[in-house]
């Protein structure tokens, strides 16, 4: 006969069983939650991290313009490789892989004929190719995500940003110069963009207007830059023809040639702005001096003439706005070779310009410096420089006399930019006045932009071809600054061998092509840069110091504009 268990003992046992069940239930629930967490949530986080920080290949920081717009960035692409030890040595396997990857099966076979643990079959494949390879089910095939460098702006800044190789290493341009800086370490999540001085809005406007000028004037090529004269920052740099940075270009392709930094040119009469600025600074020349330009200037067995002989005595102002080679040479000879050499050195024109790009060219400096060299250098011949070097020197003579290094990197607006004084503030004021007068009443009138007080200088220089000058082959240029009452930006435009056509009334001088192109550029970029219009009374103050004949012509021009405005439909 079985012994009865007390009711209290039964209840106690049931409670104990309930506690054990609850404990195991909680344990299994915890394990189940952790399993879901590991397999789902953590996996998602790891996949997301893999898209940003792939294990294979070099990851690079974004490169952006001064306003944060992307210039270069990484995207993640899939590649396919294999462990050759695991892939079946079967011709049918090679044919299948070759068909999907669009490669010769014999090449696939050679790649897999190795004892290495991993080889790449194709570094970049499409999602369709990846799906097709998965369906083949071939042992030893592996897929790996890796970064690929892309350039959203295509051609727009190709000469500057450069390119990377298949392993995402910098090969050219800024990608090469700052390769270590732009790379990011594995696991690095804080990837501050690498900021350039370039403003892509300004770059786009400059490229479009330069391309338009090349078409209009039927030039072989062209280049242009815009610089902040107080910081040395390049807001735009264009060289045409150019190329798409997303596609490899052979080193000898002419499109890779950056005319602004690699080209070395005699800039012609542009140089007169530097010559006058330095001679005014040295006290050799005064604004009211008179110069004999009645006939050609003879120096030894050579003589110097002007395209349009003035055949009279001319003031310093007349010499400049009429672009007289004779008058400019006489001024330079009054200063002498040592003074000329001293200022050229201070302006950085006798050495390679410093910029964050590879391949910047050195100037071609005369080995001997007799009087004839002093004379012809004064108006931009014999000494050949990069456009970058010239623009940097020009910025110094219009900004108040301080030479600052050019840069493609955005500067901190709160930090002062170091510089070296090369001419006085007074000399800078005087050359600015001459540059403005040249646009109001000289060879630069077609660069005029209402309300901007543009000042500038033309230059038409013979271009050497295979070491010899060819008649009629020229480099046509215009350099400008604005607004001239307080210059902030400098612009340089150069056209390679423009044609004398209907658009220029049959002339090939810079006053007919490079000057109007510069005016169009300034009219487009000034609003983008927030440059305010100059009040009329400020321009009138400049005009009051102008020669009487320029004042009279300016008053006539304003009168004609007022009449046209009165009859214009409202």
């Amino acid at each position: 006969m079985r012994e009865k268990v007390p009711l209290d003992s039964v209840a106690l046992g049931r409670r104990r069983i309930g506690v054990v069940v609850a404990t195991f239930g909680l344990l299994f629930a915890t394990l189940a939650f952790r399993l879901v967490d590991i397999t789902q949530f953590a996996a998602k986080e790891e996949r997301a991290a893999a898209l940003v920080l792939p294990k294979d290949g070099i990851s690079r920081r974004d490169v952006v313009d001064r306003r944060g717009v992307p210039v270069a960035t990484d995207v993640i692409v899939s590649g396919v490789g294999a462990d050759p030890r695991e892939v079946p040595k079967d011709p049918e396997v090679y044919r299948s892989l070759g068909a999907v990857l669009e490669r010769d099966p014999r090449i696939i076979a050679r790649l897999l004929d190795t004892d290495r643990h991993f080889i790449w079959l194709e570094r970049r494949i499409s999602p369709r190719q990846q799906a097709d390879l998965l369906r083949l089910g071939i042992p030893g095939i592996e897929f790996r995500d890796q970064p690929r460098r892309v350039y959203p702006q295509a051609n727009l800044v190709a000469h500057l940003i450069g390119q990377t190789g298949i392993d995402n290493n910098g090969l050219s341009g800024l990608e090469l110069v700052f390769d270590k800086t732009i790379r990011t370490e594995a696991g690095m999540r804080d990837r501050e963009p690498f900021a350039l001085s370039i403003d892509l809005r300004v770059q786009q406007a400059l490229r479009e207007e330069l391309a338009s000028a090349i078409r209009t004037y039927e030039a072989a090529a062209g280049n242009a830059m815009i610089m902040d004269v107080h910081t040395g920052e390049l807001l735009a740099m264009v060289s045409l023809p150019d190329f798409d940075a997303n596609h490899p270009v052979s080193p000898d392709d002419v499109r890779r040639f950056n005319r602004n930094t690699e080209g070395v040119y005699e800039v012609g009469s542009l140089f007169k702005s530097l010559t006058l600025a330095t001679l005014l600074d040295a006290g050799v020349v005064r604004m009211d001096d008179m110069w004999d330009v009645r006939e050609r200037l003879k120096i030894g067995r050579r003589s110097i003439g002007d395209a349009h002989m003035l055949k009279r005595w001319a003031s310093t102002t007349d010499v400049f706005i009429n672009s007289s080679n004779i008058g400019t040479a006489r001024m330079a000879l009054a200063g002498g070779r040592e003074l000329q050499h001293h200022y050229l050195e201070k302006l950085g024109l006798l050495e390679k310009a410093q910029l964050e790009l590879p391949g910047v060219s050195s100037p071609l400096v005369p080995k001997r410096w007799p009087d004839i060299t002093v004379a012809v250098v004064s108006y931009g011949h014999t000494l050949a420089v990069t456009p970058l070097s010239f623009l940097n020197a020009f910025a110094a003579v219009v900004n108040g006399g301080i030479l600052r290094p050019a840069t493609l990197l955005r500067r901190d607006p709160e930090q002062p930019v170091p510089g070296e004084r090369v001419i006085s503030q007074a000399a800078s004021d005087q050359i600015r006045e001459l540059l403005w007068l040249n646009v109001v009443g000289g060879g630069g009138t077609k660069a005029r932009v209402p309300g901007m007080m543009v000042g500038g200088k033309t230059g038409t220089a013979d271009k050497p071809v295979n070491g010899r000058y060819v008649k009629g082959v020229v480099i046509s240029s215009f350099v400008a600054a604005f607004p001239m009452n307080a210059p902030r930006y400098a612009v340089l435009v150069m056209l390679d061998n423009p044609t004398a056509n209907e658009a220029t009334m049959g002339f090939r001088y810079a006053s007919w092509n490079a000057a109007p192109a510069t005016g169009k550029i300034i009219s487009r970029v000034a609003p983008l840069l927030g440059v305010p219009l100059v009040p009329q009374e400020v321009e009138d103050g400049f005009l009051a110091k102008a020669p009487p004949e320029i004042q009279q012509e300016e008053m006539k021009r304003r009168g004609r504009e007022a009449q046209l405005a009165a009859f214009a439909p409202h």
Side-chain angles (χ1 to χ4, degrees):
M1 189 173 177
R2 297 176 59 185
E3 185 179 0
K4 288 186 176 181
V5 179
L7 290 176
D8 288 347
S9 298
V10 173
L12 180 61
R14 286 175 178 173
R15 282 198 297 270
R16 287 175 176 172
I17 293 171
V19 170
V20 171
V21 171
T23 300
F24 276 96
L26 181 62
L27 177 61
F28 280 112
T30 302
L31 291 172
F33 177 80
R34 181 55 182 157
L35 182 62
V36 171
D37 179 54
I38 291 172
T39 57
Q40 297 296 322
F41 298 109
K44 288 180 180 178
E45 288 180 3
E46 288 172 7
R47 286 196 296 271
L51 290 174
V52 178
L53 298 171
K55 294 181 180 179
D56 296 317
I58 298 167
S59 181
R60 302 174 74 84
R61 295 161 62 185
D62 285 354
V63 178
V64 298
D65 83 336
R66 66 187 302 108
R67 298 170 59 247
V69 181
V71 170
T73 189
D74 277 2
V75 296
I76 303 305
V77 296
S78 291
V80 61
D83 184 339
R85 300 168 304 169
E86 297 182 13
V87 178
K89 302 294 189 286
D90 184 346
E92 185 59 34
V93 169
Y94 304 148
R95 282 193 291 272
S96 298
L97 289 172
V100 175
L101 298 177
E102 299 178 354
R103 301 190 70 179
D104 189 327
R106 291 171 296 182
I107 295 177
I108 300 290
R110 283 199 297 269
L111 288 172
L112 292 169
D113 186 18
T114 177
D115 292 330
R116 293 168 59 186
H117 293 265
F118 178 83
I119 56 100
W120 283 106
L121 295 175
E122 195 67 66
R123 299 296 289 264
R124 295 163 187 165
I125 60 173
S126 68
R128 177 180 291 277
Q129 287 175 309
Q130 186 170 5
D132 290 344
L133 290 169
L134 285 169
R135 278 194 289 271
L136 291 176
I138 298 172
I141 297 299
E142 300 179 21
F143 300 97
R144 295 190 180 184
D145 287 345
Q146 58 182 335
R148 177 187 178 187
R149 200 64 160 168
V150 296
Y151 303 97
Q153 309 304 327
N155 294 54
L156 191 55
V157 286
H159 283 111
L160 310 182
I161 190 61
Q163 293 176 310
T164 57
I166 192 70
D167 292 314
N168 236 18
N169 288 304
L171 293 181
S172 61
L174 292 162
E175 293 275 33
L176 172 61
V177 174
F178 293 100
D179 188 47
K180 292 182 179 179
T181 305
I182 294 175
R183 290 190 194 190
T184 57
E185 298 176 5
M188 182 178 177
R189 293 183 179 273
D190 182 15
R191 308 200 304 170
E192 187 71 21
F194 188 78
L196 305 182
S197 62
I198 297 296
D199 185 324
L200 288 175
R201 303 170 305 166
V202 178
Q203 180 84 357
Q204 181 69 41
L206 183 64
R207 186 177 185 275
E208 289 177 359
E209 292 299 335
L210 180 63
S212 175
I214 291 172
R215 290 193 302 270
T216 301
Y217 307 117
E218 301 175 73
N223 56 286
M225 290 176 285
I226 299 176
M227 175 183 282
D228 185 323
V229 301
H230 293 295
T231 66
E233 291 172 292
L234 285 157
L235 303 183
M237 176 186 280
V238 176
S239 180
L240 295 176
D242 56 19
F243 60 97
D244 187 339
N246 292 295
H247 303 292
V249 181
S250 64
D252 57 349
D253 191 316
V254 68
R255 294 174 298 166
R256 286 192 60 164
F257 185 68
N258 185 347
R259 304 171 68 86
N260 292 295
T261 59
E262 297 176 74
V264 179
Y265 309 99
E266 296 177 9
V267 298
S269 292
L270 298 188
F271 218 86
K272 292 170 183 172
S273 57
L274 306 185
T275 297
L276 265 290
T278 56
L279 293 174
L280 287 165
D281 180 66
V284 173
V285 171
R286 295 176 301 179
M287 297 285 275
D288 56 357
D289 284 344
M290 301 297 292
W291 305 91
D292 185 1
V293 293
R294 292 174 296 177
E295 56 187 26
R296 295 178 69 90
L297 173 62
K298 294 182 180 180
I299 303 175
R301 291 182 294 178
R302 295 181 60 181
S303 67
I304 294 170
D306 290 328
H308 304 287
M309 297 289 291
L310 294 178
K311 297 182 180 180
R312 59 181 171 83
W313 285 79
S315 68
T316 298
T317 300
D318 278 344
V319 167
F320 189 76
I321 66 175
N322 286 285
S323 200
S324 170
N325 294 340
I326 299 169
T328 306
R330 287 192 182 278
M331 295 178 194
L333 290 169
R337 65 174 65 88
E338 290 185 6
L339 184 70
Q340 186 182 64
H341 200 278
H342 167 72
Y343 275 108
L344 291 174
E345 192 170 41
K346 286 181 70 175
L347 289 168
L349 294 168
L350 301 182
E351 59 185 10
K352 183 170 68 174
Q354 299 302 306
L355 191 69
E356 303 91 352
L357 284 180
V360 178
S361 296
S362 299
L364 299 178
V365 181
K367 294 180 179 179
R368 297 175 60 252
W369 217 281
D371 284 349
I372 188 62
T373 300
V374 173
V376 297
V377 165
S378 73
Y379 55 85
H381 289 270
T382 301
L383 174 64
V385 300
T386 61
L388 172 67
S389 291
F390 177 80
L391 183 62
N392 204 31
F394 179 81
V397 302
V398 300
N399 72 7
I402 307 297
L403 180 68
R404 295 185 176 90
T407 184
L408 284 168
L409 305 185
R410 187 180 63 192
R411 296 195 189 277
D412 184 346
E414 302 299 323
Q415 297 295 322
V417 181
E420 177 187 354
R421 178 163 293 282
V422 289
I423 65 169
S424 66
Q425 179 68 58
S428 179
D429 292 343
Q430 289 175 312
I431 198 62
R432 281 161 41 193
E433 182 181 337
L434 288 173
L435 289 163
W436 179 76
L437 288 173
N438 189 52
V439 170
V440 172
T445 55
K446 294 186 183 299
R448 188 169 189 154
V449 178
M452 275 297 112
M453 277 195 73
V454 176
K457 185 72 187 75
T458 53
T460 307
D462 294 332
K463 176 188 174 184
V465 178
N466 297 324
R468 300 182 64 182
Y469 292 108
V470 178
K471 186 177 181 180
V473 179
V474 300
I475 297 289
S476 181
S477 311
F478 195 82
V479 66
F482 68 98
M484 289 311 289
N485 61 310
R488 179 65 190 274
Y489 301 104
V491 183
L492 176 62
V493 176
M494 302 180 74
L495 298 174
D496 186 345
N497 198 31
T499 302
N501 58 20
E502 291 183 8
T504 64
M505 304 295 288
F507 297 104
R508 65 171 68 236
Y509 296 122
S511 56
W512 286 90
N513 44 54
T518 303
K520 290 180 180 179
I521 289 166
I522 293 173
S523 67
R524 279 195 65 177
V525 304
L528 297 175
L529 296 170
V531 180
L533 296 177
V534 177
Q536 187 65 61
E537 56 268 23
V538 174
E539 190 166 357
D540 289 343
F542 269 66
L543 188 62
K545 297 183 290 183
E549 59 272 20
I550 290 182
Q551 293 186 32
Q552 293 169 9
E553 285 300 317
E554 177 62 11
M555 290 301 105
K556 289 180 183 178
R557 187 193 64 79
R558 292 184 185 183
R560 289 192 298 269
E561 287 186 353
Q563 288 180 339
L564 290 172
F567 287 103
H570 297 287

